[in-house]
Amino acid sequence: MQKIKKISIYDLNPRYFKDHNGDGVGDLRGLANKFSYLDFLGVEALILQDVIGTTGKTTIENFKTVADDIGTVNDLTLVLSHAAKYGIKVFIELKIGSINENHAWFKNATVDKTEEFETIVEFSAKKDDDTTEMKYKFDNSVQGYYPVNEQTSEIPLNWKSEYVLKAFLDVIKYWTNLGISGFVFRDFEYVADKNREELMNIDTLREMRKFYNTIKEVNHEILVIGKSSIIDLKDAQALISGTTQIFDYFQSTK
């Protein structure tokens, strides 16, 4: 029986690690100054939580920006340069199943009338039935309905659209060109299921498999980690090997 792959990593949110500018919140520059300490601890890889596409002081979210309550892209580049000196790999978390209503992709989808942006999320001419988690809103700009979680304002991404795959690959290339070694994907369990009812169904597995393979075609050394509070390690075994592999490693928070 094949065992679950394991990797020794240090998982942290910069906000709770080291404050550089004295505002009471940890930041990327503070982290950049602590790599001798991390090296002393024997850290070989670092996962940065809630750095990309998170809500800082900005009103527009984007997968190519750093939350400005912890720094800038230049600050993250500084972190990566210090990490490289000690041979420490840096991974970042990326939420891939949905976007917030204030995300740049959604705002573009309601302004840009090209077919590509309109398929970032599933707009439909008629309203589907509301579910326990998902409700349907009407957008005047595209004259269509879209599903949204009213509690979190999260909108499922339309992973059946090739444009979503291309858009995320562009994000992957952007960060790896800066020196990021890999990605921790969250919110993947219901990809391709807009009502979030069927956990890891056939469509979800197919789209995630396509995404994984395309990332490896870009650079086979990019590490892909799945992180879930829903899927346990036993069930994750099928997701890190064989014909159903979609991750190199898996992190369970269940």
Coordinates of all heavy atoms in Angstrom, one line a residue, residues 166-213:
K166 N -6.7 29.4 -17.8 CA -5.7 30.3 -18.3 C -5.4 31.5 -17.3 O -4.2 31.8 -17.2 CB -6.2 30.9 -19.7 CG -6.3 29.9 -20.8 CD -6.8 30.6 -22.1 CE -7.0 29.5 -23.2 NZ -7.5 30.2 -24.4
A167 N -6.4 32.0 -16.7 CA -6.2 33.1 -15.8 C -5.4 32.6 -14.6 O -4.5 33.4 -14.1 CB -7.6 33.7 -15.3
F168 N -5.7 31.4 -14.0 CA -4.9 30.9 -12.9 C -3.5 30.6 -13.3 O -2.6 30.7 -12.5 CB -5.6 29.7 -12.3 CG -6.5 30.1 -11.1 CD1 -7.9 29.9 -11.2 CD2 -6.0 30.7 -10.0 CE1 -8.7 30.3 -10.2 CE2 -6.9 31.1 -9.0 CZ -8.2 30.9 -9.0
L169 N -3.3 30.0 -14.5 CA -2.0 29.7 -15.0 C -1.1 31.0 -15.0 O 0.1 31.0 -14.7 CB -2.0 29.0 -16.3 CG -2.4 27.6 -16.3 CD1 -2.5 27.0 -17.7 CD2 -1.3 26.8 -15.5
D170 N -1.7 32.1 -15.4 CA -1.1 33.4 -15.5 C -0.7 33.8 -14.1 O 0.4 34.4 -13.9 CB -2.0 34.4 -16.1 CG -1.3 35.8 -16.3 OD1 -0.2 35.8 -16.9 OD2 -1.9 36.8 -15.9
V171 N -1.5 33.5 -13.1 CA -1.2 33.8 -11.7 C 0.0 33.0 -11.2 O 0.9 33.5 -10.6 CB -2.4 33.6 -10.8 CG1 -2.0 33.7 -9.3 CG2 -3.5 34.6 -11.1
I172 N 0.0 31.7 -11.6 CA 1.0 30.8 -11.2 C 2.4 31.3 -11.8 O 3.4 31.3 -11.1 CB 0.7 29.3 -11.7 CG1 -0.5 28.8 -11.0 CG2 1.9 28.4 -11.4 CD1 -0.5 28.7 -9.5
K173 N 2.4 31.6 -13.0 CA 3.6 32.1 -13.7 C 4.1 33.4 -13.0 O 5.3 33.5 -12.9 CB 3.3 32.3 -15.2 CG 3.1 31.0 -16.0 CD 2.8 31.3 -17.4 CE 2.4 30.1 -18.2 NZ 2.1 30.4 -19.6
Y174 N 3.2 34.3 -12.7 CA 3.6 35.5 -12.1 C 4.4 35.3 -10.8 O 5.5 35.9 -10.6 CB 2.3 36.4 -11.8 CG 2.6 37.7 -11.1 CD1 3.1 38.8 -11.8 CD2 2.4 37.8 -9.7 CE1 3.3 40.0 -11.2 CE2 2.6 39.0 -9.1 CZ 3.1 40.1 -9.8 OH 3.4 41.3 -9.1
W175 N 3.8 34.5 -9.9 CA 4.5 34.3 -8.6 C 5.7 33.4 -8.7 O 6.7 33.6 -8.0 CB 3.5 33.7 -7.6 CG 2.4 34.7 -7.3 CD1 1.1 34.6 -7.5 CD2 2.6 35.9 -6.6 NE1 0.4 35.7 -7.1 CE2 1.3 36.5 -6.5 CE3 3.7 36.6 -6.0 CZ2 1.1 37.8 -5.9 CZ3 3.5 37.8 -5.4 CH2 2.2 38.4 -5.4
T176 N 5.7 32.4 -9.6 CA 6.9 31.6 -9.7 C 8.1 32.4 -10.3 O 9.2 32.1 -10.0 CB 6.7 30.3 -10.5 OG1 6.1 30.7 -11.8 CG2 5.7 29.4 -9.8
N177 N 7.8 33.3 -11.2 CA 8.8 34.2 -11.8 C 9.4 35.0 -10.7 O 10.6 35.4 -10.9 CB 8.2 35.0 -12.9 CG 8.0 34.3 -14.2 OD1 8.5 33.2 -14.4 ND2 7.1 34.8 -15.0
L178 N 8.7 35.3 -9.6 CA 9.3 36.1 -8.5 C 10.1 35.2 -7.6 O 10.8 35.8 -6.7 CB 8.1 36.8 -7.8 CG 7.5 38.0 -8.5 CD1 6.3 38.6 -7.6 CD2 8.5 39.1 -8.8
G179 N 9.9 33.9 -7.7 CA 10.7 33.0 -6.8 C 9.9 32.1 -5.9 O 10.5 31.4 -5.1
I180 N 8.6 32.1 -6.0 CA 7.7 31.2 -5.2 C 7.9 29.8 -5.7 O 7.9 29.5 -6.9 CB 6.2 31.6 -5.3 CG1 6.0 32.9 -4.6 CG2 5.3 30.5 -4.8 CD1 6.2 32.9 -3.1
S181 N 8.1 28.8 -4.8 CA 8.4 27.5 -5.2 C 7.2 26.6 -5.4 O 7.3 25.5 -6.1 CB 9.3 26.8 -4.1 OG 10.6 27.5 -4.0
G182 N 6.1 27.0 -4.8 CA 4.9 26.2 -4.9 C 3.7 26.8 -4.3 O 3.8 28.0 -3.8
F183 N 2.6 26.1 -4.4 CA 1.3 26.7 -4.0 C 0.5 25.7 -3.2 O 0.5 24.5 -3.4 CB 0.5 27.1 -5.3 CG 1.2 28.1 -6.1 CD1 2.1 27.7 -7.1 CD2 1.0 29.5 -5.9 CE1 2.8 28.6 -7.9 CE2 1.7 30.4 -6.7 CZ 2.6 29.9 -7.7
V184 N -0.2 26.3 -2.2 CA -1.2 25.5 -1.4 C -2.5 25.9 -1.8 O -2.9 27.1 -1.6 CB -0.9 25.8 0.1 CG1 -2.0 25.0 0.9 CG2 0.5 25.4 0.5
F185 N -3.3 25.0 -2.4 CA -4.6 25.3 -2.9 C -5.7 25.0 -1.9 O -5.8 23.9 -1.4 CB -4.9 24.5 -4.2 CG -4.0 24.9 -5.4 CD1 -3.6 24.0 -6.3 CD2 -3.7 26.3 -5.5 CE1 -2.8 24.4 -7.4 CE2 -2.9 26.7 -6.6 CZ -2.5 25.7 -7.5
R186 N -6.5 26.0 -1.6 CA -7.6 25.9 -0.7 C -8.9 26.0 -1.5 O -8.9 26.5 -2.6 CB -7.6 26.9 0.4 CG -6.4 26.9 1.3 CD -6.5 27.8 2.5 NE -6.4 29.2 2.0 CZ -7.3 30.1 2.2 NH1 -8.5 29.8 2.8 NH2 -7.1 31.4 1.8
D187 N -10.0 25.6 -0.9 CA -11.3 25.8 -1.5 C -11.4 25.1 -2.9 O -12.0 25.7 -3.8 CB -11.6 27.3 -1.6 CG -13.1 27.6 -2.0 OD1 -14.0 26.9 -1.6 OD2 -13.3 28.6 -2.8
F188 N -10.8 24.0 -3.0 CA -10.9 23.2 -4.3 C -11.9 22.1 -4.3 O -12.2 21.6 -5.4 CB -9.5 22.6 -4.6 CG -9.1 21.5 -3.5 CD1 -9.5 20.2 -3.7 CD2 -8.4 21.9 -2.4 CE1 -9.2 19.3 -2.7 CE2 -8.1 20.9 -1.5 CZ -8.5 19.6 -1.6
E189 N -12.5 21.8 -3.2 CA -13.3 20.6 -3.0 C -14.6 20.6 -3.9 O -15.1 19.5 -4.3 CB -13.7 20.4 -1.6 CG -12.6 20.2 -0.6 CD -12.1 21.5 0.0 OE1 -12.5 22.6 -0.5 OE2 -11.4 21.5 1.0
Y190 N -15.1 21.8 -4.2 CA -16.3 21.8 -5.0 C -16.1 22.5 -6.4 O -17.0 23.0 -7.0 CB -17.4 22.6 -4.2 CG -17.8 21.9 -3.0 CD1 -17.3 22.2 -1.8 CD2 -18.7 20.8 -3.0 CE1 -17.7 21.6 -0.6 CE2 -19.1 20.1 -1.9 CZ -18.5 20.5 -0.6 OH -18.9 19.9 0.5
V191 N -14.9 22.6 -6.8 CA -14.6 23.1 -8.2 C -15.5 22.4 -9.2 O -15.7 21.2 -9.2 CB -13.1 22.9 -8.5 CG1 -12.9 23.0 -10.0 CG2 -12.2 24.0 -7.8
A192 N -16.1 23.2 -10.1 CA -17.0 22.7 -11.1 C -18.3 22.3 -10.6 O -19.1 21.8 -11.3 CB -16.4 21.5 -11.9
D193 N -18.6 22.7 -9.3 CA -20.0 22.4 -8.8 C -20.5 23.8 -8.2 O -20.1 24.1 -7.0 CB -19.9 21.3 -7.7 CG -21.3 21.1 -7.1 OD1 -22.3 21.6 -7.6 OD2 -21.4 20.4 -6.1
K194 N -21.2 24.5 -8.9 CA -21.5 25.9 -8.5 C -22.4 25.9 -7.3 O -22.4 26.9 -6.5 CB -22.2 26.7 -9.7 CG -23.5 26.1 -10.1 CD -24.1 26.9 -11.3 CE -25.4 26.3 -11.8 NZ -26.0 27.1 -12.9
N195 N -23.2 24.9 -7.0 CA -24.0 24.8 -5.8 C -23.3 24.2 -4.6 O -23.9 24.1 -3.6 CB -25.3 24.1 -6.1 CG -26.2 24.9 -7.0 OD1 -26.3 26.1 -6.9 ND2 -26.9 24.2 -8.0
R196 N -22.1 23.8 -4.8 CA -21.3 23.2 -3.7 C -22.0 22.1 -3.0 O -22.0 22.1 -1.7 CB -20.9 24.4 -2.8 CG -20.1 25.5 -3.4 CD -19.8 26.6 -2.5 NE -18.8 26.2 -1.5 CZ -17.4 26.3 -1.8 NH1 -17.0 26.7 -2.9 NH2 -16.6 25.9 -0.9
E197 N -22.5 21.2 -3.7 CA -23.2 20.1 -3.1 C -22.5 18.7 -3.2 O -22.6 17.9 -2.3 CB -24.6 19.9 -3.8 CG -25.5 21.1 -3.5 CD -26.8 21.1 -4.3 OE1 -26.8 20.4 -5.4 OE2 -27.8 21.6 -3.8
E198 N -21.7 18.5 -4.3 CA -21.1 17.2 -4.5 C -19.6 17.3 -4.3 O -18.9 17.9 -5.1 CB -21.4 16.7 -5.9 CG -22.8 16.4 -6.2 CD -23.1 15.8 -7.5 OE1 -22.3 14.9 -7.9 OE2 -24.0 16.2 -8.2
L199 N -19.1 16.8 -3.2 CA -17.7 16.9 -2.8 C -16.8 16.0 -3.8 O -17.0 14.8 -4.0 CB -17.5 16.4 -1.4 CG -16.1 16.3 -0.8 CD1 -15.5 17.7 -0.7 CD2 -16.1 15.6 0.5
M200 N -15.8 16.7 -4.4 CA -14.9 16.0 -5.3 C -15.6 15.1 -6.3 O -15.3 13.9 -6.4 CB -13.8 15.2 -4.5 CG -12.9 16.1 -3.8 SD -12.0 17.3 -4.8 CE -11.1 16.2 -5.9
N201 N -16.5 15.6 -7.1 CA -17.2 14.8 -8.1 C -16.3 14.6 -9.3 O -15.2 15.1 -9.4 CB -18.6 15.4 -8.4 CG -18.5 16.8 -9.0 OD1 -17.4 17.2 -9.5 ND2 -19.6 17.5 -8.9
I202 N -16.8 13.9 -10.3 CA -16.1 13.6 -11.5 C -15.6 14.9 -12.2 O -14.5 15.0 -12.7 CB -16.9 12.7 -12.5 CG1 -17.1 11.4 -11.8 CG2 -16.1 12.6 -13.8 CD1 -18.0 10.4 -12.7
D203 N -16.5 15.9 -12.3 CA -16.2 17.1 -13.0 C -15.1 17.9 -12.2 O -14.1 18.4 -12.8 CB -17.4 18.0 -13.1 CG -18.4 17.5 -14.1 OD1 -18.0 16.8 -15.0 OD2 -19.6 17.9 -14.0
T204 N -15.2 17.9 -10.9 CA -14.2 18.5 -10.1 C -12.8 17.9 -10.3 O -11.8 18.6 -10.5 CB -14.5 18.5 -8.6 OG1 -15.7 19.2 -8.4 CG2 -13.4 19.1 -7.7
L205 N -12.8 16.6 -10.2 CA -11.5 15.8 -10.4 C -10.9 16.1 -11.8 O -9.7 16.3 -11.9 CB -11.7 14.3 -10.2 CG -10.5 13.5 -10.2 CD1 -9.5 13.9 -9.1 CD2 -10.9 12.0 -10.0
R206 N -11.7 16.1 -12.8 CA -11.2 16.3 -14.2 C -10.6 17.7 -14.3 O -9.5 17.9 -14.9 CB -12.4 16.2 -15.2 CG -11.9 16.4 -16.6 CD -13.1 16.3 -17.6 NE -14.0 17.4 -17.4 CZ -15.3 17.2 -17.0 NH1 -15.7 16.0 -16.8 NH2 -16.1 18.3 -16.8
E207 N -11.3 18.8 -13.8 CA -10.8 20.1 -13.9 C -9.5 20.3 -13.1 O -8.5 21.0 -13.5 CB -11.8 21.2 -13.5 CG -13.1 21.1 -14.3 CD -12.8 21.3 -15.8 OE1 -11.9 22.1 -16.2 OE2 -13.6 20.8 -16.6
M208 N -9.4 19.7 -11.9 CA -8.3 19.8 -11.1 C -7.1 19.1 -11.7 O -5.9 19.5 -11.6 CB -8.6 19.3 -9.6 CG -9.5 20.2 -8.8 SD -8.7 21.9 -8.5 CE -7.2 21.4 -7.6
R209 N -7.4 17.9 -12.3 CA -6.3 17.1 -12.9 C -5.8 17.9 -14.1 O -4.5 17.9 -14.3 CB -7.0 15.8 -13.4 CG -6.0 14.9 -14.2 CD -5.0 14.2 -13.4 NE -4.3 13.2 -14.1 CZ -3.1 12.7 -13.8 NH1 -2.6 13.1 -12.6 NH2 -2.5 11.8 -14.5
K210 N -6.6 18.6 -14.9 CA -6.2 19.4 -16.0 C -5.3 20.5 -15.5 O -4.2 20.8 -16.1 CB -7.4 20.0 -16.7 CG -7.0 20.7 -18.0 CD -8.2 21.5 -18.5 CE -9.5 20.6 -18.8 NZ -10.6 21.4 -19.3
F211 N -5.7 21.2 -14.4 CA -4.9 22.3 -13.8 C -3.6 21.8 -13.3 O -2.5 22.4 -13.6 CB -5.7 22.9 -12.7 CG -5.2 24.1 -12.1 CD1 -4.5 25.1 -12.9 CD2 -5.3 24.4 -10.7 CE1 -4.0 26.2 -12.3 CE2 -4.8 25.6 -10.2 CZ -4.2 26.5 -11.0
Y212 N -3.5 20.7 -12.6 CA -2.3 20.1 -12.1 C -1.3 19.8 -13.3 O -0.1 20.2 -13.2 CB -2.6 18.9 -11.3 CG -1.4 18.1 -10.8 CD1 -0.6 18.6 -9.7 CD2 -0.9 17.0 -11.5 CE1 0.5 17.9 -9.3 CE2 0.2 16.3 -11.1 CZ 0.9 16.7 -9.9 OH 2.0 16.1 -9.5
N213 N -1.8 19.1 -14.3 CA -0.9 18.7 -15.4 C -0.4 20.0 -16.1 O 0.8 20.0 -16.6 CB -1.7 17.8 -16.4 CG -1.9 16.4 -15.8 OD1 -1.2 16.0 -14.9 ND2 -3.0 15.8 -16.3

